[in-house]
């Protein structure tokens, strides 16, 4: 490596460190309940200058998109193969994984919903996740049980929207909301038998 490469590498490292700190700050602020953190709040929490925020991210939309990427760790459990031997057990297992993830992501869902109408990246991520979740559910439920009403009802019951409503609007505890969701999943399984 030549001496001229060292300053460039140092700048890149500082730049990456600053970006990482800003994404972490954004995640912390939203987790704490800030639906629309300002650039000033992010700069203060990340301990960087306000100009650094906009030097690294052209606007808050770009920073929100980076935050979404930073939340991918919450979805890691979804990629693991289901272990139950039959589709009924796998459906319960899938639902449990979703519930765990939904609960962790609830503050981010609220913030995302508040921004979705003005953020193409958040809307695109929402559409992508919904499509993936529906496809995974459709692959799991046997085709002969996938009548429109049954499948659409099941998809609704195990959706983030249903979880959010149970927790936020209906003020159910995690355990109560979990019982409601799993109770409907159990009914679907029983009716399929």
């Amino acid at each position: 490596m030549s001496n001229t490469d060292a300053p460039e590498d140092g700048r890149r490292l500082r730049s990456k460190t600053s970006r990482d700190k800003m994404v972490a700050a954004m995640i912390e602020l939203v987790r704490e309940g800030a639906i629309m953190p300002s650039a000033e709040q992010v700069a203060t929490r990340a301990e960087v200058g306000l100009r650094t925020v906009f030097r690294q991210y052209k606007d808050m939309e770009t920073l929100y998109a980076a935050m979404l990427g930073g939340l991918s760790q919450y979805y890691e459990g979804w990629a693991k193969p289901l272990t139950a031997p039959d589709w009924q057990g796998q459906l319960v297992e899938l639902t449990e994984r979703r519930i765990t993830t939904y609960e962790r992501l609830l503050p981010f869902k609220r913030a995302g919903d508040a921004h979705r109408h003005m953020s193409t990246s958040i809307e695109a991520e929402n559409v992508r996740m919904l499509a993936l979740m529906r496809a995974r559910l459709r692959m799991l439920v046997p085709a002969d049980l996938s009548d429109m009403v049954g499948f659409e009802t099941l998809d609704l019951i195990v959706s983030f929207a249903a979880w959010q409503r149970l927790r936020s609007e209906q003020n159910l505890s995690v355990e109560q909301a979990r019982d409601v969701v799993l109770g409907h999943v159990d009914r679907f399984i029983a009716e399929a038998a």
Side-chain angles (χ1 to χ4, degrees):
M1 171 183 1
S2 72
N3 288 338
T4 57
D5 291 337
E8 181 63 28
D9 288 345
R11 279 193 296 271
R12 283 189 188 140
L13 180 60
R14 282 190 305 278
S15 183
K16 181 185 179 327
T17 300
S18 291
R19 282 192 309 273
D20 290 347
K21 287 170 62 176
M22 287 181 271
V23 168
M26 187 78 155
I27 289 172
E28 288 172 16
L29 288 163
V30 172
R31 184 180 292 122
E32 292 168 6
I35 299 286
M36 300 178 88
S38 67
E40 292 83 3
Q41 288 174 301
V42 172
T44 299
R45 180 65 62 97
E47 298 178 342
V48 299
L50 183 58
R51 286 179 44 194
T52 301
V53 173
F54 291 111
R55 197 170 31 246
Q56 297 297 327
Y57 297 100
K58 67 179 182 174
D59 53 26
M60 289 304 287
E61 156 87 12
T62 312
L63 183 53
Y64 275 99
M67 180 186 74
L68 290 175
L71 295 174
S72 62
Q73 65 196 4
Y74 292 115
Y75 294 102
E76 288 173 359
W78 289 21
K80 295 177 187 171
L82 299 168
T83 59
D86 55 18
W87 73 266
Q88 297 94 332
Q90 290 179 5
L91 178 57
V92 171
E93 192 176 340
L94 177 78
T95 304
E96 291 276 10
R97 287 184 189 181
R98 285 187 180 191
I99 287 170
T100 300
T101 304
Y102 294 163
E103 187 59 26
R104 286 184 185 162
L105 290 176
L106 204 49
F108 305 103
K109 174 78 166 125
R110 288 183 193 121
D113 288 349
H115 291 276
R116 223 170 55 209
H117 72 284
M118 58 186 173
S119 170
T120 55
S121 59
I122 292 174
E123 178 59 25
E125 180 64 10
N126 185 62
V127 168
R128 187 183 78 79
M129 286 306 299
L130 287 174
L132 283 172
M133 291 166 59
R134 282 178 62 85
R136 180 87 190 261
L137 188 61
R138 192 168 295 284
M139 287 182 352
L140 189 64
V141 176
D144 60 324
L145 300 176
S146 290
D147 69 278
M148 188 191 77
V149 172
F151 178 79
E152 294 301 333
T153 303
L154 179 63
D155 187 41
L156 172 64
I157 293 302
V158 299
S159 72
F160 206 147
W163 185 257
Q164 185 175 12
R165 179 179 170 134
L166 290 167
R167 294 284 289 124
S168 300
E169 280 84 48
Q170 293 178 223
N171 296 312
L172 298 183
S173 68
V174 172
E175 294 76 23
Q176 291 168 324
R178 181 182 176 278
D179 288 347
V180 168
V181 172
L182 288 174
H184 280 282
V185 168
D186 288 344
R187 276 192 213 130
F188 178 84
I189 290 169
E191 289 173 8

